[in-house]
Structure formats: C-alpha cells, structure tokens
Amino acid sequence: MNEIDMNETARVRRLLGEPPPPSAEASARALARLEEAMAPGGRRVRPSRAGRRRFGRPLQLGAGLVAAGAAAAVAIVATGQGSPGSAPGTPPASVDLGRQAVLVAADKAAEQPTGNYWSAERLSGQAYVVRARTGTYAIFGAHDETFFWAGAKKGMGEAYYSRDLPARPQTPQDQALWRKAGSPSDIRVWSNDHFYTYSTKATKWRSEGPEVGVDPEGGGEFLDKSVEELRNLPTDPARLAAMFLEGEMERAGGLDPNSKRPRAEALRMSPAQTATLKIMRVSALLGTPLPPKVRAGLMKALAAQPGIHAIGHVTDPLGRRGVALAAGDRDVTVTAEYGTPKDEQGTYRARQTIVFDERTGALLSRQYVLTRPGGPYARMKPGFVIEYQAVRAAGWTDAKPKPPAELPF
C-alpha cells in the first residue's frame, strides 16, 4: 500500500471510529454561566488591556465570545439533545461526506505557510429583533471588530486594536423593513435587563494595548508559550484532544480536574452542552498563531468528538460559504424575570456551529444558530444567526501588519 492509499485509509478509519464519551468530571461549573451569557440580549464587555496583551488569558472561555451580564436578563433552561451512538461493532450505513469534507479542509490547513508576524481580524455581533410598527426586522448590534498582530520572536513587537462597527439589518429583507421604518440611525432594542440604543455609525480604531499602541518588547509568547514550545506541540488529534478538550477544558471552566472534590459537587453537562463548549474552545485556539499542522490536528480532534456533527455547507454572516461542524441543539427559555418584555419571552432551539474554508482550512466563523423559532425569535426562520464571531482575515506574513482602513461592510 502506498502513502496516498494509507492516508485515505486512515481518513476512512477516522470516520468510522467513535472515541469514548467524556468523563463525568468534564462538567465545568462555569458552563452554566457561559450558556446563560450567550442568551439573547447580552451586551458585550471588551476585555481589559491586560486581558488582550496575552493570547492565552482571554481565550479561556472563547476570546470575548460571551455577552456579559445576560444571566441577569433572562432565566435559561437548557436541555441537551446529544446524538446517541451506535451499538459497538455496528457499521454505519454510509460514509459521512460532511465530516470527510472537514477532514480534507484540515489537511489544507496543515499546508499553509508561516512567517515573521501573525495577525488576526475578528468581527463579533449579537442579533436583536426590532418590532417596528411598519414591520419586524432583525439587526446585528453590539457589533465590534478587533485586530492584533505579534512578532514570532521576542522584541519584534505586538499591538492590539478595536473599533465599533455600525449596527445593521441582517438581510436584504431586514434592510427593506428598516428603510420602511424610516432608516433610523439609532436603533432601540431590549438588551440585558433594559433597553439599549445601538448606532449605525462606526468608530475609529483605538489602541487596546500599550499606551503607545505598540509594545516593542512584545512577541514571542502565545498561550503563555514561547514560539519554540508552540512548534513542539503535538499534531496528533488524540493528544491535542487530551490537552485542550478534556482536562484543559475543565480548567477553562474554572474546575481543576486534579481536585479531590466529590463528584456530586461537579455540575453535570449534557452531551450538547459539552460539544458546545468544545466548539467555542477550538474556535478560540484557532485564533492564535498555532503552527499549521497543530491547527489541522485541532480541527480533526474536534470533528472526532462525541456530540459533534458534520452539517455540510453553511454560509457565515459575511456571506462566505464553508464546511461546518455543529453541536446538538437545545431548548432555551426566556422568562419574565428582570422585567423582560412579553415579546421577548418564550422557548426556542439553537445550536453552536463552527465553519471552515474548504479551500484553505481557515476558520471562517463560530455562530449560534436558530433551529426552531420561538420566544424572541418567533418570527425568524431556522438558520437565523443569533450571535457570531467571524474571522475576516488571519495568518502569517513577513511584513509588519496594519489594521485595515476600510470597513468590512
């Protein structure tokens, strides 16, 4: 058997095999807070300068993915809907072509070049429903963009920037209804436990790092590891899963896996909740300057996790089409607690999704998507994006990067 045939055989084995389920201790007390914070209406809080200065620290729960304070806005009831596994020794009816497409994308990621500087540009947005007299439409608010670059070696520098993006209608239909409502430049919505007004105007880039904007001594440390240590990370998906999706995931949730606390004190997570946290964890890790083969290994590790499903091709909030993995969907119930208006109350279903570029293996987005309308999204359709973080651009270059002057839309 030649090397190509061996690689293809290995891919098929990855599709047919099913890794063991996570241990009971994989439950993390902070996941409940995380899920609540991702509920509709959460207003993001930008990480502190200290939080942005090192890639590892703000990434523990997803690099700014969580809308802060939403737990005070609504009462959440989440029910996991994990997919039951087949009986041992039972062959699958067919090869999962969606999962195969993700594995091929991972192989593409392993081929990407490196350079002297890493940079990443990310967009974040939260959905809000505007119930105007002239018609209901949806917008993205709490809209912001971040950009950072760092040299591969100590002394090459690093810098961090952010800017507010305009609140805007989500689709052409939403835009038409926004115009019918008079094209308001300030849009008032229910956010958290109060009404909040979002502007349709952007701000300029502002430094989120050192006062001078660039730290000349920066660079050379990512995830609290040197470049050499990053290069020595394993590329094997199973070893990466053990490092970042098991014990490391527990530490991300604030629970020490080496603790001697009784099991009863650990918060049990459903398969769908566990899968959700793993998607968010991998999305955060892929936003850092990991070596290409490590990135590929993480993608394959995620694709092999219990409760993670390949869902084929998906379009992200920037209109880019890619191949996607998703967690199981869950019921989310919004109650009248903290004064939530009646129109915002009710139950809907949604799931966490991660999307990759099929040609390069690059991370395109992580998005929280409606699967069954209800509650605040009763008039929306399945596929409606409730919250997202999209990577507009990321990668290595030999020239020192600069924040883009033009707006993304």
Side-chain angles (χ1 to χ4, degrees), residues 30-56:
L31 181 64
R33 297 193 298 270
L34 183 150
E35 296 241 332
E36 290 178 354
M38 289 183 61
R43 169 67 172 162
R44 284 182 182 78
V45 176
R46 296 184 187 86
S48 66
R49 288 177 174 175
R52 291 184 185 270
R53 290 289 305 280
R54 284 290 176 260
F55 302 100

Side-chain angles (χ1 to χ4, degrees), residues 21 24 40-41 77 127 169 182 208-209 220 230 252 268 293 363 368:
V77 179
E208 295 286 350
L230 282 181
R268 302 292 181 108
K293 290 184 179 180
L363 171 64
Y368 192 48

Side-chain angles (χ1 to χ4, degrees), residues 53-82:
R53 290 289 305 280
R54 284 290 176 260
F55 302 100
R57 295 168 189 164
L59 298 175
Q60 291 182 336
L61 288 177
L65 309 182
V66 180
V74 295
I76 301 299
V77 179
T79 304
Q81 296 292 323

Side-chain angles (χ1 to χ4, degrees), residues 85-405:
S86 302
T90 303
S94 62
V95 173
D96 188 340
L97 296 180
R99 191 179 299 266
Q100 177 71 12
V102 173
L103 297 178
V104 171
D107 288 338
K108 295 291 185 181
E111 300 170 358
Q112 298 308 303
T114 59
N116 293 324
Y117 296 93
W118 168 268
S119 66
E121 178 190 359
R122 290 197 174 210
L123 283 63
S124 299
Q126 170 78 42
Y128 296 95
V129 176
V130 183
R131 298 173 182 83
R133 289 192 297 270
T134 52
T136 297
Y137 61 93
I139 67 164
F140 280 126
H143 227 178
D144 60 22
E145 182 177 13
T146 60
F147 180 87
F148 75 83
W149 65 261
K153 296 180 181 179
K154 188 73 173 178
M156 292 181 66
E158 61 184 345
Y160 303 79
Y161 306 91
S162 69
R163 64 181 174 183
D164 295 337
L165 296 175
R168 67 184 186 115
Q170 284 203 23
T171 68
Q173 294 79 7
D174 293 322
Q175 186 174 42
L177 288 167
W178 170 70
R179 288 175 175 169
K180 189 175 181 180
S183 303
S185 58
D186 294 317
I187 304 175
R188 188 171 181 263
V189 297
W190 178 259
S191 177
N192 243 356
D193 56 354
H194 62 282
F195 284 99
Y196 191 88
T197 299
Y198 286 104
S199 172
T200 56
K201 297 179 181 179
T203 63
K204 295 181 179 180
W205 286 111
R206 54 185 172 268
S207 171
E208 295 286 350
E211 292 296 337
V212 294
V214 175
D215 182 358
E217 296 300 319
E221 284 190 9
F222 312 105
L223 294 170
D224 292 327
K225 298 181 184 293
S226 67
V227 173
E228 182 178 357
E229 288 174 317
L230 282 181
R231 288 173 179 166
N232 290 331
L233 281 175
T235 60
D236 176 65
R239 291 183 64 190
L240 289 167
M243 289 179 64
F244 296 111
L245 300 180
E246 294 172 9
E248 180 70 18
M249 190 179 67
E250 293 173 4
R251 284 189 287 275
L255 180 63
D256 184 354
N258 298 318
S259 173
K260 296 182 179 179
R261 293 166 56 192
R263 284 191 177 191
E265 294 185 23
L267 177 67
R268 302 292 181 108
M269 292 189 294
S270 70
Q273 289 173 316
T274 302
T276 292
L277 184 57
K278 290 180 178 181
I279 286 177
M280 297 181 74
R281 177 67 172 165
V282 169
S283 172
L285 289 167
L286 292 178
T288 69
L290 296 173
K293 290 184 179 180
V294 177
R295 302 172 70 81
L298 277 170
M299 292 170 63
K300 293 174 182 178
L302 181 63
Q305 293 299 302
I308 298 293
H309 314 284
I311 58 173
H313 289 85
V314 169
T315 300
D316 81 346
L318 300 185
R320 302 169 300 181
R321 193 163 175 80
V323 291
L325 299 171
D329 61 352
R330 302 173 309 286
D331 282 343
V332 180
T333 298
V334 183
T335 72
E337 191 174 6
Y338 301 108
T340 304
K342 186 176 181 179
D343 288 340
E344 298 283 335
Q345 299 172 32
T347 300
Y348 63 92
R349 292 184 70 84
R351 67 183 177 187
Q352 195 67 239
T353 305
I354 188 168
V355 187
F356 301 100
D357 189 315
E358 198 168 10
R359 301 164 302 168
T360 66
L363 171 64
L364 295 180
S365 70
R366 179 210 50 77
Q367 50 203 55
Y368 192 48
V369 180
L370 184 71
T371 59
R372 190 183 71 193
Y377 310 118
R379 299 189 183 184
M380 303 298 108
K381 297 179 180 179
F384 173 79
V385 177
I386 297 172
E387 178 269 342
Y388 80 93
Q389 186 176 81
V391 179
R392 187 183 180 194
W396 291 95
T397 62
D398 287 328
K400 186 178 294 186
K402 295 181 179 179

